[in-house]
Amino acid sequence: MASTLAACGGGDSSGSGDVTLKLVAADYGDKPDNNSKKYWMKVIRAFESKNAGIKVDVTVLPWTEVDKRLAQMVREGQAPDLAQIGAYADYAAAGKLYSADQLLSIPTQSDFISSVSAAGDLHRVQYGLPFVSSTRLLFYNEDLFAKAGVTKAPESWADLQSAATKLKAAGVKIPFGLPFGPEEPQAETMMWMLSAGGGYTDRTGAYTIDSPENIKAFEWLRDELVGKGLTGPGDPARTNRQQVFDAFTRGEVGMLNGHPTLMRQADARDIKYKMAPLPGVDGKAEVTMGVADWMMGFKANGRREQIGRFLDFIYHKENVLDFTRRYDMLPVTTSASQAMRNDGDEKKLWPFLEQLQYAQFYPADKTSWARVTKTLKEKIGSTVKKGGDPASVLGELQREAEATDNADG
């Protein structure tokens, strides 16, 4: 792998006249036999068979390493031609990326789902190409609901608290799983902000972290869920998402917010569960959270035409569906989404797919977002502790976000 990375940014294959595109991609697999490299090698073989003169060399790295390694490669002048990771804004702002219209054919670009592709814009120009997406729903354990006498999924915060209270009385260990630990608290945070009618930013893209709606959400969590012992014996500030997912698959959690991967984990343990839209203040939340990962094309090696041909190929409907089916993710193109809606074997993903058109995404177009997320991971859990001060913590995050945003221009 070291030699492969060292070669990134090098010239064409010697002697043949071929162009060799370098691709760095994240690994979505959770065990060796479903490593993402298997997908990429299949796609690359098919592409190379139809595109004489273009080779593709892929390096697949774990999520814990891929961002850092890519940043190092770019910093050392060894940028790949393509990268598929979780963020694009820093590279776009630095002028290192091709825009979507420089790379993609019109049919490919117009096939993106608009709510997803809009999150790839920087200053109204699309640089981040959505690669895969997911949304969030409320999961609940049918057997535990029946045991507690809860007859339907909660639609409002009051319903959720009532159901959690009954689950606790029935002896359920964790009535509602609330993960604000360091793994991914920015996701749980955004879901509660949205369910309160707030969010990280407003329609103009300005940060609104300390809005009244957001403060209200964390005061309610502090007082009405955590404060009343409805989130189990653990400290939400030290509880990671995968910990509550694991507890759900052991039958210890009544409810939690989850993404499609939880279905596979729960099915493997024969947990009976259902899903519902996220509860909101007075009824079902109007929007849910969406997450997208991104593909980008680097200018460094000047291979715009070849990069574009490869991207047009990987965004073919069949290739998009192949990836999403492997990892229980959602497609980012209209053609693949429609095919998924028509496929009865994909029925479990339909509720997530329906939410995608209403989803809001992280402010991934902001170069400040990575630094805001780092501080949020350190501090957001304190808001729901006894004596926690959501207004103070969210205000601090807001000030840092604005200062970083202004410094970035």
Side-chain angles (χ1 to χ4, degrees):
M1 181 171 292
S3 60
T4 301
L5 289 172
C8 286
D12 300 346
S13 300
S14 59
S16 67
D18 290 347
V19 167
T20 299
L21 299 176
K22 304 293 184 178
L23 165 64
V24 173
D27 184 12
Y28 289 75
D30 57 4
K31 48 187 180 294
D33 64 358
N34 70 348
N35 185 288
S36 294
K37 188 160 188 177
K38 292 187 176 182
Y39 166 81
W40 284 114
M41 294 308 298
K42 177 183 176 182
V43 170
I44 288 168
R45 283 194 296 269
F47 171 77
E48 291 178 347
S49 71
K50 297 179 180 180
N51 292 271
I54 306 177
K55 305 294 183 183
V56 183
D57 181 9
V58 62
T59 299
V60 175
L61 297 169
W63 277 107
T64 53
E65 297 180 27
V66 67
D67 289 341
K68 183 190 305 182
R69 296 287 288 276
L70 177 62
Q72 179 183 353
M73 292 160 63
V74 173
R75 189 168 56 248
E76 294 176 351
Q78 302 289 331
D81 300 288
L82 292 145
Q84 186 274 302
I85 57 171
Y88 67 87
D90 283 346
Y91 301 114
K96 296 183 181 298
L97 303 181
Y98 291 113
S99 63
D101 58 3
Q102 291 177 308
L103 294 174
L104 302 176
S105 66
I106 292 175
T108 298
Q109 193 171 357
S110 63
D111 196 24
F112 286 134
I113 297 170
S114 59
S115 65
V116 188
S117 65
D121 290 358
L122 180 69
H123 305 312
R124 299 185 179 181
V125 177
Q126 185 178 3
Y127 294 96
L129 313 179
F131 180 71
V132 72
S133 65
S134 69
T135 56
R136 301 295 192 264
L137 291 170
L138 179 76
F139 283 67
Y140 60 97
N141 184 307
E142 289 186 84
D143 290 335
L144 297 182
F145 264 45
K147 178 182 177 182
V150 182
T151 58
K152 64 177 184 177
E155 296 185 357
S156 67
W157 287 0
D159 293 341
L160 189 148
Q161 188 205 50
S162 174
T165 301
K166 291 177 181 178
L167 289 162
K168 181 181 179 182
V172 175
K173 183 177 180 180
I174 304 173
F176 188 91
L178 188 66
F180 282 126
E183 180 187 355
E184 198 192 29
Q186 70 272 22
E188 194 72 18
T189 295
M190 186 172 179
M191 283 183 271
W192 285 100
M193 287 178 169
L194 292 175
S195 71
Y200 284 121
T201 58
D202 62 17
R203 292 182 183 274
T204 70
Y207 279 114
T208 55
I209 296 172
D210 64 346
S211 70
E213 294 84 358
N214 293 344
I215 293 171
K216 177 181 178 180
F218 284 89
E219 289 178 342
W220 187 86
L221 287 170
R222 178 195 64 194
D223 299 337
E224 304 300 330
L225 275 191
V226 180
K228 295 188 175 178
L230 301 178
T231 57
D235 177 2
R238 301 171 71 90
T239 302
N240 284 327
R241 176 191 60 180
Q242 192 57 52
Q243 288 175 287
V244 294
F245 278 19
D246 291 343
F248 187 78
T249 66
R250 294 193 299 267
E252 298 173 357
V253 178
M255 301 174 282
L256 77 168
N257 297 327
H259 55 65
T261 302
L262 181 56
M263 295 190 304
R264 184 172 68 243
Q265 296 175 9
D267 289 341
R269 300 291 293 271
D270 295 323
I271 297 295
K272 292 177 61 180
Y273 63 91
K274 286 187 176 178
M275 299 172 294
L278 301 181
V281 177
D282 300 312
K284 294 178 183 178
E286 294 183 3
V287 294
T288 188
M289 185 188 78
V291 175
D293 295 327
W294 304 96
M295 177 70 75
M296 65 200 80
F298 283 87
K299 294 179 178 179
N301 303 315
R303 296 171 181 151
R304 182 182 64 81
E305 180 185 355
Q306 293 89 348
I307 293 171
R309 286 170 65 181
F310 182 63
L311 290 173
D312 279 339
F313 186 82
I314 67 170
Y315 283 111
H316 284 177
K317 178 180 68 176
E318 293 77 12
N319 292 329
V320 173
L321 287 170
D322 186 7
F323 192 90
T324 57
R325 286 166 176 160
R326 286 172 187 250
Y327 300 110
D328 290 332
M329 303 294 283
L330 301 181
V332 296
T333 62
T334 301
S335 59
S337 295
Q338 190 59 53
M340 182 175 281
R341 285 190 180 95
N342 295 334
D343 185 350
D345 291 337
E346 303 286 347
K347 191 171 184 178
K348 278 198 168 185
L349 285 169
W350 290 354
F352 293 96
L353 197 61
E354 291 303 316
Q355 294 289 314
L356 192 57
Q357 60 183 315
Y358 309 112
Q360 290 190 18
F361 293 81
Y362 293 136
D365 59 323
K366 291 180 171 291
T367 57
S368 56
W369 174 239
R371 281 159 282 181
V372 171
T373 301
K374 182 177 183 296
T375 305
L376 184 145
K377 287 181 176 183
E378 297 168 354
K379 299 185 176 182
I380 197 65
S382 67
T383 62
V384 299
K385 291 176 177 287
K386 183 178 180 180
D389 188 349
S392 176
V393 173
L394 295 180
E396 181 181 351
L397 289 168
Q398 176 72 19
R399 289 189 295 274
E400 178 175 328
E402 290 177 344
T404 308
D405 225 21
N406 291 335
D408 289 345

